[in-house]
């Protein structure tokens, strides 16, 4: 019978059963209605009832359908068990057995304190009670599984504690005998856990197994303890092959690494410390790695987050203690690097094997661990610029593969690695070797390294825009590019000025820093003008405002002029560098703010009004500079004359120019800007200048402002009808 015939037969059977189900539902509804009427005491005859629908028997068609597999009865879980039954049959039994064990312990202590029972009597009583509870549990197991499991745990606990008391308190058992008995009890407990299919019984036995050496063994050799733990972990591994008992796996993982790390910390002076740590650390690492993989691998089970977390922690708990041992015992760097690469190779091999077996989650996790150890190996073996270069190259390669293979994991690792490379750029920005007075910014080894880093970052950003122009990846790369490019560009000048020994170097550094920041922001604005990145434009606009406020508050031009008066060798021409940078910055802002984009139109209009602050500030600084240089002996008086009378006249002339341009170019914005600036000049004149400017200055100010206002008013009166009616739109 082919597949199509079998499918047709199954569909016919489903149709037949469906029709029968509909008929049975009609019968059931009729019976429910009649039953309701009878309960209300009504006469059946008085109620017009729908005649019963005769059952329609659909003759089954002979088809060849294989019988469905009979599902095994599912065990009742806690969520399916009624609350009363769960409390009465489970919780109460556990509380009862705990109370019984505690009561037994109190009785033994009371008997010991009052000499009611001899030592052997106490021990025989404990072993007898443990054996009795265990026997009763096995007898009740077929009918009362949960209750039997509780009794078994109580019997095992009693026998375990009694054996420990015989060894520690009464010294009746030598250590080897006590050790053997307690191990036997543990093995019996784990075996019974597999028979009962109850994980917490096995967990109880596992805890006891790890506790036995510390309860009985004393201060024996470390290698013996680790051999015993290796045997235990082998047993847990064999158990993990058949059962997905994650609590037991986690307990074995936790106890193993806790004991191993405690030995690393406290056993530094023990004989054979190094080889014991290296050998058994590797054994535990491989055992616990296999412990997490064996059940999903052979039972085709879904991998959960706990497995992934334990895989990562397993690698961490193995690598860092071993690295500590190798480093503290002064092993060569090449040895430590080889150890790190060996870790990477192990994870890479497991990643390849899991990929071949179609376990994507396990393969990606192992691949990620392989990449992490490759990354860690670089700073162990190398230093300085080589770390940055290799990390940047690795990040570019990973990101390229991630884009071309549509692998999010590789892209995430590429971004993480390029951020690590950025960290190395920030850490190694100052090279103490560079102390030569002939040092030139941008022509040195460190800048070449940083340039290669930026090239890798730009390559990654280009690849990111190929696949996704928006989202987390391109945005994170763009943030990093803008931040590190600014830092790398400025740090060259920072090194240069740190080497200089002249007195005016800090001031020049400040002016160069302002010029560099304005120029950089201007270029960033121009770059953003070509893309629709609204949030980036808003952020860049905010930075621009802060930068300009910083420049105005610091008054770099005035400081430069004062320094020039003290030291004529001061490069006063640097102020033109600042002016040019501000011009580029302003041009970038003008290009960046979109003209017709909704939401930006008001911002652009406001910017076109405020933009006049920048040329006005530059003209004011030049006026002050020239007035001070005209009479250097009275520099402070000249400065006051410039800031009071000079600024008022200059701003008034600038206002008139704006108004004239507004009339000639038919642009309303220019005229309104000029009028607003006139208002500022009048406010400055009335509030500040009248009380500070001498009589001659007052005469000049009032005459100049008066003439300017009259000319402005005349222009408005003469040309308003002709020019205002056909204003040009804002450009």
């Amino acid at each position: 019978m082919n597949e199509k015939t079998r499918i047709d037969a199954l569909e016919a059977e489903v149709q037949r059963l469906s029709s029968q189900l509909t008929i049975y539902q009609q019968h059931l509804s009729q019976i429910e209605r009649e039953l309701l009427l009878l309960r209300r005491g009504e006469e059946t005859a008085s109620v017009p009832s729908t005649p019963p629908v005769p059952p329609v028997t659909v003759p089954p068609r002979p088809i060849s359908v294989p019988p469905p597999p009979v599902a095994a009865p599912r065990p009742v879980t806690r969520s399916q068990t009624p609350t009363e039954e769960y409390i009465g049959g489970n919780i109460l039994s556990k509380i009862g057995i705990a109370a019984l064990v505690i009561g037994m312990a109190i009785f033994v202590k009371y008997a010991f304190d009052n000499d009611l029972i001899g030592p052997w009597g106490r021990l025989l009583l404990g072993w007898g009670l443990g054996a009795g509870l265990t026997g009763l549990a096995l007898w009740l197991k077929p009918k009362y599984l949960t209750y039997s499991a509780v009794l078994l745990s109580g019997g095992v606990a009693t026998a375990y504690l009694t054996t420990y008391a015989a060894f520690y308190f009464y010294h009746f058992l030598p250590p080897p005998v006590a050790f053997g008995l307690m191990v036997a009890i543990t093995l019996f407990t784990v075996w019974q856990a597999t028979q009962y299919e109850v994980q917490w019984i096995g967990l109880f036995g596992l805890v006891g197994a790890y506790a036995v050496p510390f309860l009985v063994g004393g201060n024996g050799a470390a290698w013996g303890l680790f051999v015993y733990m290796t045997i235990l972990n082998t047993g847990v591994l064999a158990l993990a092959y058949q059962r997905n008992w994650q609590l037991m796996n986690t307990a074995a993982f936790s106890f193993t690494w806790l004991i191993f790390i405690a030995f690393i910390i406290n056993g530094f002076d023990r004989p054979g410390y190094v080889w014991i740590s290296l050998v058994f650390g590797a054994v535990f690492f491989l055992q616990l790695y296999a412990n997490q993989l064996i059940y999903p691998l052979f039972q085709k089970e879904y991998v959960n987050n706990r497995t992934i977390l334990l895989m990562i922690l397993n690698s961490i708990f193995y690598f860092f203690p071993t690295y500590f041992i190798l480093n503290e015992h002064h092993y060569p760097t090449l040895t430590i690097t080889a150890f790190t690469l060996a870790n990477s190779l192990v994870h890479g091999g497991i990643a390849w094997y899991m990929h071949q077996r179609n376990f994507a989650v396990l393969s990606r996790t192992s691949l990620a661990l392989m990449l992490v150890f490759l990354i860690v190996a670089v700073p162990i073996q190398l230093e300085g610029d080589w770390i940055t270069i290799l990390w940047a190259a690795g990040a570019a390669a990973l990101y390229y593969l991630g884009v071309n293979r549509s692998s999010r994991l590789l892209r995430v690792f590429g971004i993480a690695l390029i951020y690590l490379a950025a960290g190395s750029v920030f850490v190694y920005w100052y090279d103490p070797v560079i102390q030569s007075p002939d040092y030139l910014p941008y022509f040195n080894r460190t800048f070449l390294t940083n340039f290669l880093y930026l090239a890798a970052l730009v390559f990654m950003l280009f690849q990111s825009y190929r696949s996704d122009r928006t989202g987390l990846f391109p945005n994170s790369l763009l943030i990093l590019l803008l931040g590190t490019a600014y830092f790398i560009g400025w740090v060259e000048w920072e090194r240069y000025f740190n080497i200089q020994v002249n007195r005016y170097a800090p001031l020049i550094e400040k002016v160069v820093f302002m010029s560099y920041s304005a120029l950089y922001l201007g270029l960033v604005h121009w770059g953003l003008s070509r893309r629709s990145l609204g949030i980036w434009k808003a952020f860049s606009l905010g930075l621009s405002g802060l930068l300009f406020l910083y420049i105005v508050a610091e008054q770099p031009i005035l400081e430069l002029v004062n320094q020039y008066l003290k030291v004529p060798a001061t490069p006063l021409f640097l102020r033109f560098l600042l002016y040019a940078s501000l011009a580029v910055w302003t041009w970038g802002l003008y290009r960046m703010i979109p003209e017709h984009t909704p939401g930006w139109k008001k911002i652009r209009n406001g910017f076109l009004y405020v933009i006049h602050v920048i040329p006005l500030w530059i003209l004011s600084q030049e006026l002050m500079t020239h007035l001070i240089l005209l009479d250097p002996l009275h520099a402070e008086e000249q400065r006051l004359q410039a800031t009071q009378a000079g600024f008022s006249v200059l701003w008034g002339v600038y206002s008139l120019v704006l108004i004239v341009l507004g009339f000639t170019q038919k642009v309303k914005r220019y005229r309104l800007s000029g009028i607003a600036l006139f208002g500022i000049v009048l406010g400055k004149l009335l509030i500040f200048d009248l009380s500070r400017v001498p009589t001659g200055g007052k005469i000049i100010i009032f005459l100049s402002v008066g003439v300017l206002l009259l000319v402005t008013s005349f222009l408005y009166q003469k040309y308003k009808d002709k020019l205002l009616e056909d204003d040009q739109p804002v450009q």
Side-chain angles (χ1 to χ4, degrees), residues 549-717:
L549 291 176
Y550 169 71
I551 293 174
V552 172
E554 287 294 317
Q555 298 184 349
I557 307 302
L558 179 59
E559 288 188 36
L560 199 61
V561 172
N562 291 334
Q563 186 68 31
Y564 175 79
L565 297 178
K566 298 176 183 178
V567 183
T570 302
L572 192 58
F573 66 87
L574 283 178
R575 71 186 192 277
F576 297 112
L577 176 64
L578 180 59
Y579 298 157
S581 301
L582 287 175
V584 174
W585 172 63
T586 307
W587 170 78
L589 278 174
Y590 179 79
R591 291 293 304 272
M592 182 189 72
I593 302 176
E595 183 176 355
H596 303 293
T597 304
W600 282 93
K601 189 173 182 180
K602 292 183 179 180
I603 296 177
R604 182 177 177 84
N605 290 337
F607 168 74
L608 293 176
Y609 281 101
V610 177
I611 195 175
H612 298 287
V613 174
I614 298 170
L616 194 60
W617 180 83
I618 294 175
L619 293 173
S620 301
Q621 298 302 307
E622 279 300 293
L623 175 64
M624 180 181 62
T625 300
H626 284 286
L627 288 177
I628 292 175
L629 294 179
L630 286 175
D631 189 4
L633 297 178
H634 302 87
E636 184 61 23
E637 291 80 357
Q638 291 295 92
R639 185 189 67 81
L640 291 175
Q641 186 73 16
T643 55
Q644 295 170 358
F647 284 4
S648 297
V649 175
L650 174 65
W651 295 358
V653 172
Y654 191 89
S655 303
L656 179 61
V657 171
L658 285 177
I659 293 173
V660 171
L661 284 175
F663 278 110
T664 58
Q665 301 295 323
K666 301 179 183 180
V667 178
K668 181 179 180 181
R669 183 185 70 251
Y670 291 162
R671 298 192 299 271
L672 293 180
S673 299
I675 293 173
L677 187 54
F678 261 131
I680 295 174
V681 171
L682 290 176
K684 177 178 178 296
L685 179 64
L686 296 175
I687 298 173
F688 298 103
D689 295 345
L690 287 181
S691 59
R692 300 176 183 176
V693 180
T695 304
K698 293 178 183 177
I699 294 173
I700 295 173
I701 293 174
F702 275 95
L703 289 177
S704 302
V705 173
V707 171
L708 294 173
L709 289 174
L710 288 174
V711 171
T712 303
S713 178
F714 173 75
L715 292 174
Y716 262 98
Q717 294 299 323

Side-chain angles (χ1 to χ4, degrees), residues 371 391-419 456-478:
L371 295 175
W391 277 356
L398 287 173
Y399 201 82
Y400 175 78
L401 291 174
V403 170
N404 284 274
R405 297 194 175 187
S406 301
S407 172
R408 184 180 178 86
L409 176 67
L410 292 178
R411 283 184 289 169
V412 169
F413 264 90
I415 290 180
L417 188 53
I418 201 69
Y419 268 86
L457 185 52
V458 170
F459 173 78
M460 292 174 63
L461 188 61
F462 173 74
Q463 294 295 324
S464 179
Y465 282 131
R466 279 182 53 201
S467 60
D468 183 14
R469 291 186 172 270
T470 59
L472 175 63
F473 293 133
N475 285 337
S476 60
L477 290 173
L478 185 59

Side-chain angles (χ1 to χ4, degrees), residues 313-478:
L313 292 178
N314 188 49
S315 302
I316 293 173
F317 291 155
Y318 170 56
F319 177 78
F320 282 104
T322 308
Y323 175 84
F324 169 78
I325 294 169
L326 296 176
N327 189 55
E328 287 297 317
H329 286 79
H330 307 291
Y331 277 76
T333 304
L334 187 60
T335 302
I336 301 177
T337 305
F339 164 70
T340 308
L341 293 176
N343 275 268
S344 179
L345 185 62
V346 169
H347 291 297
I350 294 175
W352 175 83
Y353 181 74
M354 291 299 167
H355 178 72
Q356 296 297 114
R357 299 292 298 270
N358 295 322
F359 283 91
V361 176
L362 295 176
S363 177
R364 287 196 296 265
T365 305
S366 297
L367 177 63
L369 292 171
M370 181 198 75
L371 295 175
V372 167
F373 284 105
L374 278 178
I375 294 168
V376 171
V378 173
I380 292 176
Q381 181 63 34
L382 304 174
E383 61 182 14
D385 296 333
W386 285 109
I387 297 176
T388 306
I389 292 173
L390 288 180
W391 277 356
L398 287 173
Y399 201 82
Y400 175 78
L401 291 174
V403 170
N404 284 274
R405 297 194 175 187
S406 301
S407 172
R408 184 180 178 86
L409 176 67
L410 292 178
R411 283 184 289 169
V412 169
F413 264 90
I415 290 180
L417 188 53
I418 201 69
Y419 268 86
L420 280 177
S424 71
V425 169
F426 285 101
V427 169
Y428 295 107
W429 73 269
Y430 178 70
D431 190 349
V433 177
I434 304 176
Q435 295 293 342
S436 172
D438 299 328
Y439 171 82
L440 288 177
Y442 307 111
F443 294 93
N444 54 80
R445 182 193 66 195
T446 304
F447 179 73
L448 176 61
T449 299
N450 294 337
F451 178 79
L452 293 175
Y453 166 80
L454 289 178
L457 185 52
V458 170
F459 173 78
M460 292 174 63
L461 188 61
F462 173 74
Q463 294 295 324
S464 179
Y465 282 131
R466 279 182 53 201
S467 60
D468 183 14
R469 291 186 172 270
T470 59
L472 175 63
F473 293 133
N475 285 337
S476 60
L477 290 173
L478 185 59

Side-chain angles (χ1 to χ4, degrees), residues 69-77 80:
V70 180
R74 296 176 57 187
V76 180
T77 60
Q80 298 170 319

Side-chain angles (χ1 to χ4, degrees), residues 103 165 187 232 247 285-286 288 302 345 432 464 480 597 610 682 717:
L187 293 176
L232 285 182
L247 287 179
F285 166 71
L286 294 175
L288 295 174
Y302 173 75
L345 185 62
S464 179
L480 189 61
T597 304
V610 177
L682 290 176
Q717 294 299 323

